[in-house]
Amino acid sequence: MRERDGTPPGHPDERTAVLMLHGRSVPVLAGVDLDFKSYSWADALAKAGYDVFMMDLQGSGLSPRPKMDDPRNVNPAQQHLLKPRPPGFTPGPPNYPYQLSNSNSDRDELNTVVEWIIRERGVKKVAFIGWSAAAFTMGPYAVKNPGKVSSLFLLAPIFPPEGTSDAPDPLPQPGFPMFLSTKDGTWKGWGSEVHCAGQREEEMRDKVWDAIMKSDPVGSMWGPVDEGRNRIRNFVRWGWNKTTAAQGGVLGGSVPVLIAYGEYDRQVNTSSEDPEFNFSVPALYDAIAGDHKLMVKLDCAGHSVVWEMQHKNVHNLSKHWLKHLKVDGKTQGIFNMNTNGDISPAP
């Protein structure tokens, strides 16, 4: 966990604590605290006076990565990416033939951090900001723990409306602990959602990858010299769907929700025949039972908007949300945001 304490001196119970959580493949510091120009979202919030905490779940970033130092525990279909081979490595079946973590362990870890912040900072609740797959952890946690969560800001949330509510049996689930990604693959995948002039800076190819590698001291030594491989934990998830999002009317009720996503984001809106991978942001908005809910579509933005030209507008939107819990003076509705940061009701 890292903290950026931008809160002016004052009584502890007056502090606004914000907890930021990463998605599936990018460690939290590379995602929300990138040390390059104006891209650090956490720094922008701290400078606005918020007490900002960032956490990596087990298997990500600088948190412990059990079973992930063994290259044999890489997805067998990706072990060819380990060239030159790490010392002593011979391709083959995983030595630990299970997925690394699951929804229960992720939410338990989140709870540990939330309770630590509440205790150490003397606050009653924590405001959540999550990017991408963070929704799998933060959404259900807020539903079950409304007394600990003041609000929920979800950027590009992954949401399968018909996903399962039940834990699989047995746990741990068979499989392997980790996937790998490459520098070129990451950049090209991001590029498939670039459709506007100036949507991303060419420098970001190196800046983002270097930040990911800085959070992965082992993966940075795998693969080609001076490039490395991004180790991505493999986890099994459940309990985030249209039923759980509506449960008890918590989301949009005692926990106000703001959803933001890019118009070119093809990861959050899919058309898979498998309900576990059929994702929809509008379906999340519709599923939230409470009235205090807002959704903003960002023009000229993809899934990686935190590293694109709209990043400052996302920072400003989150600062306004944390202070007012409104968008354009409203507590409910669907909006568009252009590249100048102007907000208008969706047609």
Side-chain angles (χ1 to χ4, degrees):
M1 183 170 59
R2 174 179 288 183
E3 178 187 6
R4 282 188 177 270
D5 188 353
T7 307
H11 297 293
D13 59 359
E14 295 175 349
R15 290 174 176 239
T16 299
V18 179
L19 178 58
M20 308 184 81
L21 184 63
H22 59 89
R24 172 182 172 268
S25 61
V26 178
V28 73
L29 299 184
V32 303
D33 200 17
L34 186 68
D35 186 18
F36 180 60
K37 295 184 177 179
S38 58
Y39 286 95
S40 174
W41 190 356
D43 185 57
L45 292 177
K47 287 178 178 176
Y50 295 99
D51 195 3
V52 184
F53 298 86
M54 297 156 274
M55 70 172 287
D56 274 313
L57 293 164
Q58 180 178 239
S60 180
L62 296 174
S63 285
R65 299 196 190 208
K67 308 298 183 181
M68 292 177 67
D69 290 355
D70 181 356
R72 275 286 286 270
N73 287 330
V74 168
N75 177 2
Q78 293 184 311
Q79 291 182 11
H80 67 280
L81 297 174
L82 294 172
K83 293 181 180 179
R85 291 182 181 177
F89 168 63
T90 302
N95 288 324
Y96 181 77
Y98 303 99
Q99 297 188 46
L100 183 69
S101 53
N102 60 63
S103 290
N104 282 344
S105 60
D106 285 353
R107 292 166 200 165
D108 286 347
E109 291 172 24
L110 179 62
N111 184 63
T112 298
V113 172
V114 168
E115 292 194 339
W116 184 90
I117 294 171
I118 289 172
R119 182 176 66 252
E120 294 296 319
R121 284 292 175 259
V123 295
K124 295 179 180 179
K125 296 184 178 184
V126 178
F128 280 0
I129 293 180
W131 178 27
S132 187
F136 281 115
T137 306
M138 285 185 152
Y141 181 88
V143 169
K144 296 293 186 181
N145 299 275
K148 300 178 185 179
V149 183
S150 59
S151 64
L152 186 58
F153 182 111
L154 295 176
L155 178 65
I158 306 295
F159 180 73
E162 303 296 337
T164 182
S165 296
D166 302 319
D169 185 27
L171 286 175
Q173 276 282 286
F176 47 84
M178 62 181 154
F179 299 92
L180 293 179
S181 69
T182 66
K183 184 176 183 178
D184 283 344
T186 299
W187 181 251
K188 290 176 182 177
W190 177 14
S192 67
E193 298 178 344
V194 173
H195 300 283
C196 297
Q199 187 173 332
R200 64 176 181 180
E201 298 184 74
E202 191 66 27
E203 288 177 278
M204 298 303 284
R205 181 179 186 274
D206 292 331
K207 295 297 182 180
V208 170
W209 188 257
D210 289 349
I212 293 172
M213 290 297 94
K214 190 175 180 180
S215 287
D216 192 347
V218 174
S220 64
M221 303 303 294
W222 288 357
V225 177
D226 298 326
E227 180 175 320
R229 295 290 184 246
N230 180 21
R231 297 180 299 162
I232 302 169
R233 70 192 186 106
N234 188 13
F235 64 99
V236 59
R237 38 79 174 177
W238 64 87
W240 181 231
N241 51 44
K242 65 181 183 182
T243 300
T244 53
Q247 192 171 18
V250 172
L251 298 186
S254 58
V255 180
V257 181
L258 172 59
I259 303 164
Y261 72 104
E263 68 168 320
Y264 297 126
D265 190 336
R266 298 296 176 261
Q267 297 187 46
V268 297
N269 293 306
T270 62
S271 56
S272 173
E273 294 182 1
D274 184 344
E276 297 300 330
F277 295 95
N278 187 35
F279 307 137
S280 171
V281 175
L284 173 56
Y285 181 83
D286 291 340
I288 294 172
D291 293 331
H292 198 158
K293 60 177 182 178
L294 297 132
M295 184 167 67
V296 180
K297 184 168 72 174
L298 309 165
D299 290 351
C300 287
H303 194 69
S304 300
V305 61
V306 293
W307 304 317
E308 296 177 352
M309 66 176 176
Q310 279 274 43
H311 71 278
K312 283 187 181 180
N313 291 332
V314 171
H315 299 174
N316 291 333
L317 179 64
S318 65
K319 286 185 284 188
H320 185 85
W321 168 254
L322 290 169
K323 184 175 182 179
H324 302 288
L325 296 179
K326 295 179 181 179
V327 169
D328 197 31
K330 299 179 177 62
T331 58
Q332 185 179 31
I334 301 173
F335 301 85
N336 290 334
M337 175 183 282
N338 65 23
T339 55
N340 293 322
D342 301 321
I343 293 175
S344 59

